[in-house]
Amino acid sequence: MSNRVRVRFAPSPTGGLHLGGVRTILYNYLFAHHHGGQFVLRIEDTDQNRYVADAEQYIYDCLEWCGLLPDESPLKGGPYTPYRQSERKPLYYQYAQQLVDAGYAYYAFDTVEELEKMRHDLKNEHNPNPQYDHKTRMQMRNSLSLDPKEVVELLNKQTPHVIRIKMPHNKTVSFTDMIRGEIHFDTSLVDDKVLLKADGMPTYHLAVVVDDHLMQITHAFRGEEWLPSAPVHLLLWEYLGWKESMPQWAHLPLILKPDGNGKLSKRDGDRLGFPVFAMDWKDPKTNETTTGFKEIGFLPQAFVNMLALLGWNDGSGQEIFSLDELVQRFSIDRVHKGGAKFDYEKAKWFNHQYIQHAADELLLPLVKPYFEKAGISADDAYMLQVIGLIKERCTLLPDFVQQGYFFFHTPKEIDLASIQAKWEDRKKQFFESWVEILQSLEQWTHDELEQSFNKTMEAHGLKKGDVLLPLRIMLVGGKYGPGVFVIAEMIGKAETCNRVKAALAQLGN
Ligand code: GLU
């Protein structure tokens, strides 16, 4: 493939961006970059009833956060501007008209009531869901069933009407999906979809074909839920005379619930306690906020890596890939046909890997807001040291607060019960004398601290197993954290001594 590769992500701005949508973006991006082609973002906002304000901006924000920026878009412009379908409205009519003139489409004047009546009257056990199709169209009010003179009159009077495709009866249409291979459809099963609405706005079906053609799209990747629309699109490509340049299609597998039972939905996330959207999404209609991967503490690189593997692998067993590596290795024919089960534990594993290996400087600006929210402030040098010490213990960004709190403040709670269980006089005496010795320690380094600790311990006839964990709990609050003498070095002499003394006071005799 040459530089001609042009792919597009064509979202309808109707709400938050689900994992599946971001994965479609990612596969488009990887494919385009792999082939040195262009990645186009086209906003498909022709369905004004489903339009949600803010949803378009939200898409840009997600693309930005993931680092998957398009080469052409409504914001960036490009050679095929405008990239927002509502702004392309005047352009579609001529194609709908061309289809009518050639006999592939027709005017339909039916009112909402008439359509409802048809669905009601024609409903029977053989046809539980009557649709506007080859079986019913001649009983409806359209340019196929009405007298031509009447049609002209209705048009002259500007009677509201739509344009529908005339789906052929008993025809098989086929295409080769890049993931699924040959796919055939029986056109008799498909209804006469509306192509142009009464207000002159195209429907998705017409607009997607016209724009993929005009924007010279070479490959179109979309979720498998769009497969049932494929026969309509195939016929439109043919009827408009563009069949030779139809993009190659790939219908991407669904992302499934963790148990593999059906498509992963926002509700599953709420129910099982994990995010399904890329970023926080506040529904302007309900004011309800759905948590995103970003806000729950994922690094975008980890999120993108995890998504890439949700339905694709390079066959080598490798799981950690930088974006550049993904670009190099990605191929659409290695995308699985079957749905990919979402596994939140695995998603967190990816994040943990990325946090562990990320430079402390990269983590600092990401972690700082969480620290600040918890009332923690310190100079950058100190924060960087803390980050370096605890990052291997952090899975999500907010974990830094929990894992690092004691470096900045006296712990709110001390697990005294764990010390108390094996507390004895000897230990108390040991800690009292060690705190004294600390006053005259020459250098406040973890090595010096450890040496003085060991010496005092031996002098009291104690072993590490007796006193090391109590010291940790006194300084940290619980049984976690990096090396205890490093902690003491970091928090300083006064704070170390205070914490030990405070614990001793509470432990009593
Ligand atoms: N506008 C469609 C959507 O919202 C795009 C489907 C396609 O890519 O053809 O997903």
Side-chain angles (χ1 to χ4, degrees):
M1 261 171 269
S2 68
N3 284 344
R4 280 181 43 255
V5 165
R6 290 179 56 78
V7 296
R8 89 296 190 273
F9 177 58
S12 300
T14 54
L17 205 47
H18 180 276
L19 275 183
V22 192
R23 193 192 53 181
T24 305
I25 296 174
L26 176 61
Y27 287 0
N28 271 295
Y29 178 96
L30 297 178
F31 189 84
H33 283 255
H34 182 88
H35 294 289
Q38 258 85 41
F39 167 38
V40 177
L41 172 71
R42 183 174 70 225
I43 298 293
E44 303 208 325
D45 57 351
T46 56
D47 189 346
Q48 298 293 323
N49 295 329
R50 292 180 63 224
Y51 183 81
V52 176
D54 301 343
E56 185 176 327
Q57 184 57 45
Y58 176 85
I59 292 166
Y60 300 135
D61 294 343
C62 290
L63 288 165
E64 175 102 40
W65 179 62
C66 294
L68 302 172
L69 293 177
D71 302 297
E72 299 166 26
S73 73
L75 283 189
K76 203 163 179 226
Y80 300 92
T81 200
Y83 289 90
R84 202 176 279 118
Q85 285 182 328
S86 57
E87 291 168 21
R88 300 168 68 79
K89 182 178 169 190
L91 202 133
Y92 303 102
Y93 175 75
Q94 56 181 305
Y95 299 105
Q97 191 58 51
Q98 182 186 328
L99 292 166
V100 174
D101 294 344
Y104 294 126
Y106 59 90
Y107 304 114
F109 302 95
D110 317 85
T111 60
V112 176
E113 295 74 30
E114 285 165 339
L115 290 172
E116 264 167 28
K117 189 169 181 316
M118 178 270 283
R119 284 189 206 107
H120 177 265
D121 292 356
L122 300 182
K123 192 169 174 165
N124 60 39
E125 59 183 287
H126 305 294
N127 200 359
N129 288 314
Q131 28 177 26
Y132 209 120
D133 58 13
H134 66 96
K135 285 190 237 143
T136 57
R137 66 168 82 101
M138 292 314 278
Q139 299 166 58
M140 305 303 291
R141 282 164 38 78
N142 56 54
S143 55
L144 301 176
S145 64
L146 299 173
D147 183 87
K149 265 211 238 134
E150 193 183 341
V151 173
V152 172
E153 251 171 55
L154 286 168
L155 290 176
N156 284 344
K157 279 198 284 185
Q158 302 197 331
T159 314
H161 62 275
V162 300
I163 292 180
R164 288 182 181 269
I165 186 169
K166 184 181 168 198
M167 284 305 278
H169 185 203
N170 274 347
K171 187 173 162 164
T172 301
V173 288
S174 320
F175 79 99
T176 308
D177 187 278
M178 293 175 82
I179 298 170
R180 287 148 210 275
E182 279 285 299
I183 306 191
H184 306 282
F185 300 91
D186 174 357
T187 57
S188 312
L189 303 175
V190 185
D191 60 328
D192 291 356
K193 296 261 186 267
V194 173
L195 300 178
L196 202 79
K197 292 180 267 191
D199 62 0
M201 197 60 112
T203 59
Y204 157 66
H205 302 292
L206 180 64
V208 76
V209 171
V210 168
D211 285 342
D212 280 353
H213 169 72
L214 295 179
M215 295 184 177
Q216 307 220 6
I217 298 304
T218 56
H219 300 78
F221 309 146
R222 58 187 183 187
E224 123 187 340
E225 64 273 23
W226 295 103
L227 209 46
S229 301
V232 181
H233 303 173
L234 283 167
L235 287 172
L236 288 176
W237 280 95
E238 184 186 323
Y239 293 164
L240 288 164
W242 302 330
K243 203 175 166 188
E244 299 311 310
S245 59
M246 194 182 101
Q248 276 184 270
W249 284 344
H251 288 85
L252 306 175
L254 294 177
I255 297 181
L256 304 175
K257 297 180 203 292
D259 63 8
N261 252 331
K263 187 179 168 185
L264 180 72
S265 74
K266 188 179 90 58
R267 269 192 307 276
D268 298 317
D270 298 342
R271 187 171 54 91
L272 299 166
F274 54 72
V276 169
F277 286 171
M279 291 169 71
D280 271 7
W281 165 250
K282 185 164 174 204
D283 188 328
K285 287 185 199 137
T286 60
N287 265 344
E288 186 197 348
T289 299
T290 310
T291 308
F293 279 87
K294 176 179 182 227
E295 288 76 7
I296 213 156
F298 272 77
L299 300 186
Q301 296 85 348
F303 177 61
V304 163
N305 191 155
M306 176 277 289
L307 269 185
L309 280 264
L310 218 50
W312 170 87
N313 63 57
D314 76 344
S316 70
Q318 183 176 335
E319 292 188 292
I320 300 293
F321 296 92
S322 67
L323 189 58
D324 283 346
E325 275 177 304
L326 286 173
V327 165
Q328 273 170 31
R329 311 269 182 92
F330 185 75
S331 77
I332 201 81
D333 48 20
R334 286 203 59 88
V335 173
H336 319 317
K337 279 200 204 68
K341 275 191 225 165
F342 178 66
D343 177 350
Y344 188 50
E345 291 310 311
K346 187 74 194 197
K348 288 198 292 190
W349 176 84
F350 276 104
N351 209 48
H352 181 228
Q353 291 290 315
Y354 273 80
I355 287 183
Q356 245 186 95
H357 296 110
D360 303 342
E361 288 74 13
L362 186 136
L363 292 169
L364 180 68
L366 302 174
V367 167
K368 227 178 177 175
Y370 291 99
F371 276 152
E372 278 164 6
K373 236 166 103 188
I376 293 170
S377 58
D379 58 48
D380 284 359
Y382 188 75
M383 271 200 187
L384 279 170
Q385 262 182 297
V386 171
I387 288 171
L389 285 169
I390 61 175
K391 64 183 177 186
E392 69 184 54
R393 294 158 207 278
C394 298
T395 301
L396 298 170
L397 290 173
D399 294 349
F400 278 89
V401 173
Q402 199 270 326
Q403 289 290 332
Y405 187 85
F406 60 85
F407 279 109
F408 305 91
H409 292 297
T410 312
K412 287 190 185 126
E413 274 176 45
I414 306 281
D415 177 14
L416 284 177
S418 292
I419 306 179
Q420 205 109 48
K422 290 185 184 165
W423 195 235
E424 47 180 322
D425 250 11
R426 275 194 309 159
K427 294 186 185 175
K428 185 172 182 253
Q429 281 148 17
F430 156 75
F431 277 107
E432 281 167 352
S433 44
W434 187 53
V435 168
E436 278 310 307
I437 291 165
L438 289 184
Q439 304 304 327
S440 49
L441 208 64
E442 269 175 26
Q443 281 180 338
W444 191 261
T445 64
H446 59 93
D447 281 340
E448 290 274 319
L449 281 157
E450 187 166 6
Q451 276 174 29
S452 80
F453 186 86
N454 288 344
K455 250 168 74 190
T456 321
M457 183 183 81
E458 279 156 25
H460 283 77
L462 289 161
K463 291 198 218 73
K464 273 196 180 143
D466 301 322
V467 280
L468 207 53
L469 184 63
L471 174 62
R472 170 175 297 283
I473 297 173
M474 289 172 186
L475 299 187
V476 169
K479 300 175 188 170
Y480 61 93
V484 71
F485 298 108
V486 174
I487 295 171
E489 179 186 324
M490 293 273 295
I491 63 177
K493 187 191 282 187
E495 189 62 25
T496 301
C497 295
N498 284 345
R499 290 188 196 181
V500 173
K501 282 185 200 159
L504 290 178
Q506 288 185 59
L507 283 159
N509 291 315

